[in-house]
Amino acid sequence: MTAFKDFNFKLLVIEQLMYTDEVLAPPFRIADVLREQGHGGDAWKYAYENGLAYKVVPQAREYFERLEIGPDLLATVEELCLDGGNEVYQECAPVWDGEDDLFDVASLDDLDLVPNLRRVLGAEFLNEEQQAVLLARGIEAD
């Protein structure tokens, strides 16, 4: 299966496939995982009580790191959206407020995994070099 180099880039792809297009199912819900583990279903409370405020909850990181996405699904990705309100971020870090670099994409080395990517919304959250990489590949950077 496909291996991503940048966890945060993978989260963008998951956002598109799982929470926007709803083709990667079932959707991950951290509250369900915590409930199954006997922690109750309040992810916000769990994060605070366990020193995980503004951090990725380990159960979410493990799930998303292990999640395999086949090339056929990756080929359907035409657009990615960098937005602090992405649902995948709330499932990863329920207390996160978008005010730090927790989910910043460090590398675009995974672009080849999404061969039909045509547009990146919120590209202003990428650095200038990354924006230039998108434009050089003919990917619209909005």
Side-chain angles (χ1 to χ4, degrees):
M1 273 300 180
T2 307
F4 283 81
K5 295 176 184 171
D6 187 297
F7 179 69
N8 290 337
F9 187 89
K10 183 177 185 180
L11 291 178
L12 292 175
V13 172
I14 291 168
E15 174 70 22
Q16 185 65 38
L17 293 172
M18 186 175 284
Y19 300 106
T20 301
D21 296 343
E22 298 179 344
V23 295
L24 185 59
F28 175 84
R29 303 282 180 229
I30 189 62
D32 294 342
V33 171
L34 295 173
R35 197 173 298 110
E36 289 170 10
Q37 294 178 345
H39 301 293
D42 188 338
W44 205 80
K45 180 179 176 183
Y46 176 82
Y48 262 112
E49 289 178 351
N50 290 280
L52 298 168
Y54 308 101
K55 297 178 183 174
V56 176
V57 174
Q59 295 92 324
R61 178 176 294 280
E62 180 181 342
Y63 177 84
F64 287 125
E65 283 180 346
R66 289 180 157 192
L67 182 65
E68 295 186 7
I69 308 170
D72 291 347
L73 265 184
L74 291 170
T76 68
V77 175
E78 295 181 1
E79 182 175 282
L80 295 175
C81 180
L82 284 78
D83 185 306
N86 282 351
E87 190 167 348
V88 72
Y89 298 154
Q90 293 307 304
E91 297 300 336
C92 282
V95 180
W96 188 67
D97 61 7
E99 298 296 322
D100 62 24
D101 62 356
L102 182 63
F103 294 110
D104 285 2
V105 173
S107 166
L108 294 179
D109 290 345
D110 294 321
L111 280 175
D112 290 337
L113 300 177
V114 285
N116 295 311
L117 183 65
R118 302 288 173 254
R119 184 177 187 197
V120 175
L121 299 169
E124 68 269 12
F125 295 113
L126 298 173
N127 64 42
E128 289 181 20
E129 182 181 312
Q130 291 169 326
Q131 290 177 37
V133 167
L134 294 177
L135 295 175
R137 287 176 168 243
I139 298 169
E140 193 176 331
D142 288 339

